[in-house]
Amino acid sequence: MNILVTGGAGYIGSTCVHQLVKAGYDVVVLDNLSQGHRAAVHPAAAFVRGDLDDRATIDDVMQAHRPDAVMHFASHTLVGESMEEPFLYLDRNVRCGLNLIRSAAAHNVERFILSSTANLFGTPEQVPIDASERIDPGSPYGESKFILERILHWMDALDTMRFAALRYFNAAGAAHEDLGEDHDPETHLIPIVLEVALGQRDGLSIFGDDYDTPDGTCVRDYIHVLDLADAHIRALEALGDGSCTYNLGNGRGYSVREVIETARAVTGRDIPATVSDRRPGDPDTLIASSDEIRDDLGWAPQYPALETIIETAWQWHQKHPHGYDD
Ligand code: UFG
């Protein structure tokens, strides 16, 4: 099977490409390298540098590679940024996704996998969050993903293609010591904590300690990037039976303070942290119920422990203190 992976040079996309190649799929990556890294792309995958805003580029890739399925990772993905620059999300994210879906439909692609997000649930009424939770996106970022889910819903309803919407909770960890997370600027908690551990930052800010959580700091469900990749491959194979939507997390939450404590234990380093103001758009608690994907596809996280997640990220950060640029 030929798979087109947008954002395949990014953190989660490059890990999925790696696992797809290992599983025997033919992969072409389309990435504008605005956040991704050419060096992160598996050498067995074809690579096209291009932007999803350019419909001709997408059509060219579709014609040249004739994919059977599309995995769409390329996206702006920051909750906080989307509160400050809503149109990067409500316009660009949506437009680029729509360009891709339109081209996939025109080229008879029958399977589409969308990276969606826990931010669809805003401030959830029930935790862990299962399929019955109401949708009320917590930010323009979450809204942009929901709009793409709805477009795919209509592709399915009109019998154009089947889709899987995979709603990630907090992706973390590294596939191996040479394939990990490298954003510029970095905004995610675990890599920032590890940059402090490496001495690249003096300390970190804890964004608020007055949330309605046991220690007052935000609680998130961290899921290993290899477990996400596994879910993508299972969903890809299951799409022959129909469309599906799943939450992807470990079902266990950790507060910001617990993440910092665990990182201190894993690295043996100090990791100074001080409390600052809340970051706009952050909900108190996000924890997934992934019962549906467990029941339907037999998916089960292989790396659920926070220690393992941080340990794998730490190995990558130690070997590549400057990411892919060293
Ligand atoms: N945090 C800090 N200090 C920092 C960085 C983060 O206290 O320096 C806190 C945040 O306020 C938040 C938690 O750590 O409470 C996790 O923040 P991240 O930035 O690592 O991740 P987010 O929860 O904001 O968002 C991530 C992805 C989104 C996805 C979401 C789903 O970036 O794309 O998980 O839960 F939608």
Side-chain angles (χ1 to χ4, degrees):
M1 217 191 270
N2 279 343
I3 319 292
L4 168 58
V5 181
T6 74
Y11 167 46
I12 305 173
S14 63
T15 301
C16 277
V17 168
H18 194 269
Q19 298 303 93
L20 283 166
V21 169
K22 251 173 88 173
Y25 292 96
D26 292 318
V27 178
V28 54
V29 169
L30 175 59
D31 197 301
N32 67 5
L33 297 183
S34 66
Q35 277 288 325
H37 306 272
R38 182 67 182 87
V41 178
H42 194 292
F47 179 78
V48 178
R49 184 171 186 172
D51 197 289
L52 296 175
D53 218 357
D54 178 2
R55 287 171 61 182
T57 297
I58 305 173
D59 287 340
D60 286 349
V61 172
M62 293 279 181
Q63 266 149 32
H65 294 273
R66 296 269 155 211
D68 303 289
V70 171
M71 290 191 182
H72 179 38
F73 296 92
S75 178
H76 297 277
T77 60
L78 301 176
V79 173
E81 179 185 62
S82 81
M83 300 295 277
E84 285 164 15
E85 291 197 57
F87 294 111
L88 204 50
Y89 291 78
L90 296 172
D91 182 359
R92 188 172 150 81
N93 259 10
V94 172
R95 198 174 64 241
C96 289
L98 180 57
N99 287 345
L100 181 67
I101 295 166
R102 191 198 306 252
S103 180
H107 291 87
N108 303 314
V109 174
E110 289 177 356
R111 298 175 193 217
F112 195 104
I113 300 188
L114 174 71
S115 301
S116 189
T117 174
N119 194 261
L120 247 61
F121 304 110
T123 302
E125 277 166 2
Q126 276 189 15
V127 175
I129 301 168
D130 66 20
S132 67
E133 182 62 39
R134 86 190 142 72
I135 306 284
D136 183 14
S139 69
Y141 164 59
E143 193 73 51
S144 72
K145 293 292 186 174
F146 187 49
I147 294 168
L148 292 178
E149 285 196 11
R150 293 304 300 170
I151 293 169
L152 289 168
H153 159 81
W154 282 108
M155 292 298 97
D156 179 66
L158 298 171
D159 230 3
T160 304
M161 65 180 76
R162 305 284 162 250
F163 76 94
L166 302 181
R167 296 167 175 171
Y168 314 157
F169 284 60
N170 287 57
H176 56 74
E177 60 181 14
D178 293 319
L179 189 60
E181 187 168 10
D182 177 9
H183 295 113
D184 185 17
E186 188 53 77
T187 64
H188 294 101
L189 180 62
I190 290 178
I192 285 178
V193 164
L194 296 178
E195 285 174 15
V196 177
L198 277 175
Q200 295 174 330
R201 298 173 186 247
D202 294 338
L204 80 143
S205 298
I206 297 172
F207 297 144
D209 67 350
D210 57 351
Y211 286 94
D212 185 16
T213 61
D215 69 14
T217 66
C218 289
V219 170
R220 294 288 180 274
D221 183 341
Y222 295 90
I223 170 141
H224 199 283
V225 66
L226 280 174
D227 287 325
L228 287 182
D230 179 37
H232 281 77
I233 294 176
R234 285 172 191 264
L236 172 68
E237 286 163 7
L239 275 180
D241 301 330
S243 295
C244 54
T245 296
Y246 295 119
N247 292 346
L248 285 174
N250 279 311
R252 158 108 214 245
Y254 293 91
S255 72
V256 174
R257 284 198 194 282
E258 286 174 316
V259 169
I260 297 168
E261 275 312 320
T262 307
R264 285 179 180 138
V266 166
T267 64
R269 310 276 170 95
D270 237 9
I271 315 188
T274 50
V275 176
S276 67
D277 290 345
R278 288 183 174 205
R279 187 174 66 179
D282 279 341
D284 297 350
T285 302
L286 290 173
I287 301 173
S289 162
S290 299
D291 290 351
E292 286 90 0
I293 188 167
R294 288 172 190 261
D295 292 348
D296 293 354
L297 306 187
W299 176 81
Q302 300 303 300
Y303 309 95
L306 184 62
E307 287 79 5
T308 314
I309 291 172
I310 293 180
E311 177 63 44
T312 59
W314 179 229
Q315 284 165 10
W316 150 258
H317 278 276
Q318 281 180 295
K319 186 155 178 213
H320 300 274
H322 305 290
Y324 288 98
D325 296 335
D326 56 8

